[in-house]
Amino acid sequence: QLCDALVDQFELVRGADVEFDDANRRISVGVSGVSYQHVTGFDHPVVSFLGGGLANTLDAPVTVETEGVEDGDAEFLVTCSW
C-alpha cells in the first residue's frame, strides 16, 4: 500500500517495487523516476514516507538505509529494517 501511494497518490516516484524478507525482518523498495533528487540526502520525502509509514503500521522502530543502484530498472534502493 505504501508503494502504491508513492506512485499513484503522491506521485513522488514513477515506479516502486518491493521485496519482503520475513526472515530478516526487512523490506527493500526499488524506486525509479524520483520527483525529488538526492534520495540519500537528509529527510527525503520518499524515504521518510516509507520509514514512517512502516513504523506506524508495525508499531515498532524502523531503520532506513538508501543506496544508489547502478544497473537494473531502479534508481535507488530503500531498505527498511525493524
Side-chain angles (χ1 to χ4, degrees):
Q1 291 175 337
L2 293 173
C3 290
D4 289 343
L6 282 175
V7 175
D8 298 327
Q9 186 175 4
F10 298 113
E11 298 179 352
L12 291 172
V13 299
R14 193 173 41 243
D17 297 312
V18 66
E19 289 184 17
F20 182 68
D21 184 353
D22 190 34
N24 293 312
R25 298 180 352 160
R26 70 176 172 213
I27 64 165
S28 296
V29 181
V31 294
S32 60
V34 180
S35 297
Y36 297 97
Q37 297 305 312
H38 308 294
V39 174
T40 57
F42 177 76
D43 201 25
H44 190 277
V46 171
V47 178
S48 294
F49 182 77
L50 289 172
L54 190 59
N56 185 55
T57 300
L58 296 172
D59 194 27
V62 172
T63 302
V64 181
E65 298 177 13
T66 59
E67 62 182 289
V69 176
E70 305 241 346
D71 56 352
D73 294 332
E75 295 171 27
F76 291 92
L77 186 64
V78 181
T79 303
C80 301
S81 306
W82 60 94

Short mmCIF file of all heavy atoms in Angstrom, two decimals, residues 2 27 44-58 60-64 78-81:
data_model
loop_
_atom_site.label_atom_id
_atom_site.label_comp_id
_atom_site.label_asym_id
_atom_site.label_seq_id
_atom_site.Cartn_x
_atom_site.Cartn_y
_atom_site.Cartn_z
N LEU A 2 1.98 1.22 0.73
CA LEU A 2 2.87 2.38 0.77
C LEU A 2 3.45 2.66 -0.62
O LEU A 2 3.52 3.81 -1.05
CB LEU A 2 3.99 2.18 1.79
CG LEU A 2 3.56 2.14 3.26
CD1 LEU A 2 4.76 1.76 4.14
CD2 LEU A 2 2.99 3.47 3.70
N ILE A 27 12.19 -4.91 4.43
CA ILE A 27 11.70 -4.78 3.06
C ILE A 27 12.71 -3.94 2.29
O ILE A 27 13.39 -3.09 2.87
CB ILE A 27 10.29 -4.15 2.97
CG1 ILE A 27 10.30 -2.71 3.48
CG2 ILE A 27 9.25 -4.99 3.66
CD1 ILE A 27 9.06 -1.93 3.09
N HIS A 44 14.49 12.87 2.96
CA HIS A 44 13.86 12.82 1.64
C HIS A 44 12.42 12.33 1.79
O HIS A 44 12.15 11.41 2.56
CB HIS A 44 14.66 11.89 0.72
CG HIS A 44 14.23 11.99 -0.70
ND1 HIS A 44 13.15 11.29 -1.18
CD2 HIS A 44 14.72 12.72 -1.72
CE1 HIS A 44 13.00 11.57 -2.46
NE2 HIS A 44 13.95 12.44 -2.81
N PRO A 45 11.45 12.92 1.06
CA PRO A 45 10.04 12.53 1.22
C PRO A 45 9.76 11.05 0.99
O PRO A 45 8.94 10.46 1.70
CB PRO A 45 9.29 13.39 0.21
CG PRO A 45 10.24 14.39 -0.30
CD PRO A 45 11.62 13.99 0.10
N VAL A 46 10.41 10.44 0.00
CA VAL A 46 10.17 9.02 -0.28
C VAL A 46 10.67 8.15 0.87
O VAL A 46 9.96 7.28 1.37
CB VAL A 46 10.86 8.59 -1.60
CG1 VAL A 46 10.80 7.09 -1.79
CG2 VAL A 46 10.23 9.31 -2.78
N VAL A 47 11.88 8.42 1.33
CA VAL A 47 12.48 7.64 2.41
C VAL A 47 11.70 7.83 3.70
O VAL A 47 11.39 6.88 4.42
CB VAL A 47 13.97 8.03 2.58
CG1 VAL A 47 14.60 7.26 3.73
CG2 VAL A 47 14.74 7.78 1.29
N SER A 48 11.34 9.08 4.01
CA SER A 48 10.57 9.37 5.23
C SER A 48 9.19 8.72 5.19
O SER A 48 8.72 8.19 6.19
CB SER A 48 10.42 10.88 5.40
OG SER A 48 11.65 11.48 5.65
N PHE A 49 8.55 8.76 4.03
CA PHE A 49 7.23 8.16 3.89
C PHE A 49 7.27 6.65 4.12
O PHE A 49 6.44 6.11 4.85
CB PHE A 49 6.66 8.47 2.50
CG PHE A 49 5.28 7.93 2.28
CD1 PHE A 49 4.17 8.56 2.83
CD2 PHE A 49 5.08 6.79 1.53
CE1 PHE A 49 2.90 8.06 2.64
CE2 PHE A 49 3.81 6.29 1.32
CZ PHE A 49 2.71 6.92 1.88
N LEU A 50 8.25 5.99 3.50
CA LEU A 50 8.36 4.54 3.68
C LEU A 50 8.71 4.18 5.12
O LEU A 50 8.07 3.31 5.72
CB LEU A 50 9.41 3.96 2.72
CG LEU A 50 9.04 3.94 1.25
CD1 LEU A 50 10.23 3.54 0.40
CD2 LEU A 50 7.86 3.01 1.01
N GLY A 51 9.70 4.83 5.70
CA GLY A 51 10.11 4.53 7.07
C GLY A 51 9.03 4.85 8.08
O GLY A 51 8.71 4.04 8.95
N GLY A 52 8.43 6.03 7.96
CA GLY A 52 7.38 6.44 8.89
C GLY A 52 6.12 5.60 8.75
O GLY A 52 5.50 5.22 9.73
N GLY A 53 5.73 5.32 7.52
CA GLY A 53 4.54 4.51 7.28
C GLY A 53 4.70 3.09 7.80
O GLY A 53 3.77 2.53 8.40
N LEU A 54 5.86 2.52 7.61
CA LEU A 54 6.12 1.16 8.09
C LEU A 54 6.19 1.13 9.61
O LEU A 54 5.62 0.24 10.25
CB LEU A 54 7.41 0.62 7.48
CG LEU A 54 7.68 -0.86 7.69
CD1 LEU A 54 6.57 -1.72 7.12
CD2 LEU A 54 9.01 -1.25 7.05
N ALA A 55 6.85 2.12 10.21
CA ALA A 55 6.93 2.19 11.68
C ALA A 55 5.55 2.34 12.30
O ALA A 55 5.23 1.71 13.31
CB ALA A 55 7.83 3.35 12.10
N ASN A 56 4.70 3.15 11.67
CA ASN A 56 3.34 3.33 12.17
C ASN A 56 2.53 2.04 12.05
O ASN A 56 1.80 1.66 12.98
CB ASN A 56 2.65 4.46 11.41
CG ASN A 56 1.29 4.78 11.96
OD1 ASN A 56 1.14 5.06 13.13
ND2 ASN A 56 0.30 4.74 11.09
N THR A 57 2.66 1.36 10.94
CA THR A 57 1.93 0.11 10.71
C THR A 57 2.37 -0.99 11.66
O THR A 57 1.55 -1.71 12.22
CB THR A 57 2.12 -0.36 9.25
OG1 THR A 57 1.62 0.65 8.38
CG2 THR A 57 1.39 -1.66 9.00
N LEU A 58 3.69 -1.11 11.86
CA LEU A 58 4.23 -2.17 12.71
C LEU A 58 4.22 -1.81 14.19
O LEU A 58 4.38 -2.68 15.04
CB LEU A 58 5.68 -2.48 12.30
CG LEU A 58 5.88 -3.04 10.90
CD1 LEU A 58 7.36 -3.11 10.58
CD2 LEU A 58 5.22 -4.40 10.77
N ALA A 60 6.55 -0.23 15.70
CA ALA A 60 7.90 -0.62 16.11
C ALA A 60 8.91 0.33 15.45
O ALA A 60 8.62 0.92 14.41
CB ALA A 60 8.20 -2.06 15.68
N PRO A 61 10.09 0.48 16.06
CA PRO A 61 11.13 1.31 15.43
C PRO A 61 11.60 0.70 14.11
O PRO A 61 11.68 -0.52 13.98
CB PRO A 61 12.27 1.30 16.44
CG PRO A 61 11.72 0.73 17.70
CD PRO A 61 10.51 -0.05 17.34
N VAL A 62 11.90 1.56 13.16
CA VAL A 62 12.34 1.13 11.84
C VAL A 62 13.63 1.88 11.48
O VAL A 62 13.71 3.09 11.67
CB VAL A 62 11.26 1.41 10.77
CG1 VAL A 62 11.78 1.14 9.37
CG2 VAL A 62 10.02 0.57 11.04
N THR A 63 14.60 1.16 10.97
CA THR A 63 15.84 1.74 10.46
C THR A 63 15.76 1.77 8.94
O THR A 63 15.36 0.78 8.32
CB THR A 63 17.05 0.88 10.90
OG1 THR A 63 17.08 0.80 12.31
CG2 THR A 63 18.35 1.48 10.39
N VAL A 64 16.14 2.91 8.35
CA VAL A 64 16.05 3.07 6.90
C VAL A 64 17.44 3.37 6.33
O VAL A 64 18.15 4.21 6.85
CB VAL A 64 15.07 4.20 6.53
CG1 VAL A 64 14.97 4.35 5.03
CG2 VAL A 64 13.71 3.95 7.13
N VAL A 78 15.70 1.51 -1.24
CA VAL A 78 15.40 1.92 0.13
C VAL A 78 15.13 0.65 0.93
O VAL A 78 14.21 -0.10 0.60
CB VAL A 78 14.18 2.85 0.19
CG1 VAL A 78 13.90 3.28 1.62
CG2 VAL A 78 14.38 4.07 -0.71
N THR A 79 15.93 0.40 1.95
CA THR A 79 15.78 -0.79 2.78
C THR A 79 15.33 -0.39 4.18
O THR A 79 15.98 0.43 4.82
CB THR A 79 17.10 -1.58 2.86
OG1 THR A 79 17.51 -1.92 1.53
CG2 THR A 79 16.93 -2.86 3.67
N CYS A 80 14.22 -0.96 4.61
CA CYS A 80 13.66 -0.69 5.94
C CYS A 80 13.76 -1.97 6.77
O CYS A 80 13.30 -3.03 6.33
CB CYS A 80 12.20 -0.27 5.85
SG CYS A 80 11.90 1.20 4.87
N SER A 81 14.35 -1.86 7.96
CA SER A 81 14.51 -3.00 8.87
C SER A 81 13.84 -2.67 10.19
O SER A 81 13.84 -1.53 10.63
CB SER A 81 15.98 -3.30 9.11
OG SER A 81 16.66 -3.48 7.89
#
